């Protein structure tokens, strides 16, 4: 990572509010926002739509050699491209979520996406959110925050989001999917979800969006002002 650019790494489980909060912070700070989950989702969508068996690691590895995943920006909104096609909406289904949790455990999938994430942080000031940003992708990030909340609160937020988009889901299914994804993300051998030793832990269970953004901004300002 270039020493000229500043990175804010935000990791945490699904539904902790990472993307909404990170997007807001990036706008406030005038940095670009990088949602790395969208990259894993794009790979998952590609695996799903080409009929590759996700349990056949060799087949997944062979498949990713044939695809191109990229990020572009429409204004300050991140869009993800699969072989040049904008798939930003198609990756937001519960099926793709579950597939992404599965295929992201494959080391070759992680290696495939690493260069793009580091390149973005090398070229821009970033707020980057994911699971392993502080531990693996940007270990030199100036600010490292681990954002979390109770599973029930996270599931409720995810449920409300899906209902608002018109997706027909049951709360119990959203909660059990989320607990299963937490399990998979925290227990995989490569780059498991966990705070880095330097991460500041922020729990958003009792905070609304404004409160969470404010708490995070305070953490960021304190760290950046101490170093500049
Ligand atoms: O943040 P999200 O729900 O869009 O992420 C989808 C899946 O991608 C998640 O279950 C785990 C995986 N992921 C990952 O392994 N590493 C990241 N940096 C981001 C996401």
């Amino acid at each position: 990572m270039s020493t000229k650019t500043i990175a804010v790494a935000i990791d945490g489980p699904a539904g902790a509010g990472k993307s909404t909060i990170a997007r807001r912070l990036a706008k406030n700070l005038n940095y670009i926002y990088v949602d790395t989950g969208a990259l894993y989702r794009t790979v998952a969508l590609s695996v799903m739509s080409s009929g590759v068996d996700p349990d056949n690691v060799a087949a997944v590895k062979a498949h990713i050699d044939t695809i191109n995943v990229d990020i572009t920006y429409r204004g300050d909104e991140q869009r993800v491209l699969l072989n040049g096609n904008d798939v930003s909406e198609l990756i937001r289904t519960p099926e793709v979520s579950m597939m992404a949790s599965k295929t992201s455990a494959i080391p070759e999938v992680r290696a495939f996406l690493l260069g793009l994430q580091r390149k973005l942080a090398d070229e821009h000031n970033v707020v980057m959110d994911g699971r392993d940003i502080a531990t693996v992708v940007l270990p030199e990030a100036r600010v490292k925050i681990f954002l979390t909340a109770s599973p029930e609160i996270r599931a409720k937020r995810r449920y409300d989001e899906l209902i608002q988009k018109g997706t027909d889901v049951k709360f119990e299914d959203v909660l059990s999917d989320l607990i299963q994804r937490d399990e998979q993300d925290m227990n995989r051998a490569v780059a498991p979800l966990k705070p880095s030793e330097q991460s500041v832990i922020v729990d958003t269970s009792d905070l609304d969006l404004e409160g969470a953004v404010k708490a995070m901004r305070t953490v960021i300002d304190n760290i950046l002002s101490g170093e500049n």
Side-chain angles (χ1 to χ4, degrees), residues 102-135:
K102 202 173 180 124
T103 51
S104 65
I106 300 172
E108 285 77 5
V109 169
R110 307 202 69 82
F112 173 69
L113 296 174
L114 191 60
L116 174 58
Q117 295 170 78
R118 288 195 173 150
K119 181 169 170 282
L120 287 161
D122 215 33
E123 293 173 351
H124 310 270
N125 292 335
V126 291
V127 175
M128 188 176 286
D129 86 32
R131 302 293 189 288
D132 62 336
I133 309 306
T135 51

Side-chain angles (χ1 to χ4, degrees), residues 11-84:
D11 294 299
K18 290 190 305 290
S19 59
T20 314
I21 296 169
R23 194 177 290 115
R24 285 274 289 272
L25 289 168
K27 213 181 169 90
N28 291 347
L29 292 160
N30 205 18
Y31 293 3
I32 67 162
Y33 167 55
V34 184
D35 166 10
T36 63
L39 298 173
Y40 288 94
R41 287 168 178 272
T42 302
V43 169
L45 176 72
S46 184
V47 165
M48 258 167 77
S49 53
S50 33
V52 174
D53 174 3
D55 293 318
N56 182 342
V57 173
V60 174
K61 279 194 226 170
H63 179 70
I64 57 176
D65 280 342
T66 68
I67 63 172
N68 185 271
V69 174
D70 208 355
I71 281 183
T72 183
Y73 287 86
R74 190 195 284 163
D76 54 16
E77 187 195 354
Q78 171 187 302
R79 310 295 296 178
V80 277
L81 305 178
L82 173 61
N83 302 324

